[in-house]
Amino acid sequence: PGNGFMRYRVPRSLHPIQWTGRSADALPYWQQSLALEKNYGRILLAGPIAEARVMATLMRSMGAWSDLDKALNLIRRLDALREKLASHVEISKDYRVKFFPKLQLETKRLLCNPTIWKSVEVLAGDLCNWKTLNGQDVANTVQYVRAKPGQFSFQFNENAWTP
């Protein structure tokens, strides 16, 4: 606890559409950016929430720039984007009121799912052994945990597959 950090690279297919400066594109750009920030926030909050659950403590900020700090900073990024789009589209400040508490609740609910929590436990064990995992390692572990007992789990790689 307190020693890990998360690096998240958004696949190019999930990047927000490029905003051209046209007013017609401003609202779709805002909506897509808001959805992406929520997804990123859930990923950032998963670690601190899981740690708080295991340690039976409150969420805490560890180190100079923790995942919790980054999640709390998301609202500033959204505010900056809202200001950028303000001359093209009306965006109310309602998103600010419950953004973080709602994000925290949604993430807690996800982690309460027994299958998801089991994946978190197995990934934590993997990290204790290997110190770092890439996206493919994480995907393979989650697929393995989600497989039903007695069911073959096929893990696909770009170059090969193994049953």
Side-chain angles (χ1 to χ4, degrees), residues 5-109:
F5 73 95
M6 186 279 306
R7 190 176 329 164
Y8 175 66
R9 294 186 188 131
V10 179
R12 287 209 180 275
S13 61
L14 296 179
H15 279 277
I17 54 174
Q18 289 299 320
W19 183 56
T20 60
R22 293 181 32 212
S23 294
D25 295 337
L27 188 58
Y29 182 78
W30 167 257
Q31 291 168 335
Q32 190 175 16
S33 297
L34 184 62
L36 286 172
E37 293 297 330
K38 284 181 180 178
N39 288 340
Y40 182 52
R42 283 187 201 101
I43 291 168
L44 290 170
L45 283 174
I49 290 173
E51 180 180 319
R53 178 177 172 178
V54 169
M55 306 280 291
T57 62
L58 297 174
M59 281 195 311
R60 59 193 177 151
S61 178
M62 301 292 289
W65 191 238
S66 73
D67 291 344
L68 180 56
D69 291 331
K70 290 176 192 173
L72 290 167
N73 196 43
L74 290 178
I75 201 73
R76 289 189 201 115
R77 288 177 33 182
L78 288 170
D79 286 344
L81 179 59
R82 182 183 167 278
E83 290 300 318
K84 177 181 171 182
L85 300 175
S87 62
H88 299 279
V89 65
E90 178 85 21
I91 300 171
S92 75
K93 290 186 176 185
D94 291 347
Y95 70 91
R96 295 187 102 257
V97 177
K98 295 183 180 177
F99 179 82
F100 189 75
K102 185 177 178 185
L103 196 60
Q104 195 174 359
L105 182 63
E106 290 171 359
T107 306
K108 282 181 181 179
R109 284 184 183 153

Side-chain angles (χ1 to χ4, degrees), residues 109-136:
R109 284 184 183 153
L110 281 171
L111 290 174
C112 284
N113 178 313
T115 304
I116 291 174
W117 184 249
K118 181 66 177 170
S119 296
V120 169
E121 289 177 323
V122 172
L123 286 169
D126 287 353
L127 283 169
C128 288
N129 291 327
W130 295 307
K131 304 298 181 215
T132 185
L133 296 173
N134 64 33
Q136 187 64 46

Side-chain angles (χ1 to χ4, degrees), residues 150-162:
Q151 175 184 352
F152 276 110
S153 176
F154 292 99
Q155 298 176 354
F156 293 96
N157 187 325
E158 292 108 30
N159 302 325
W161 64 273
T162 57

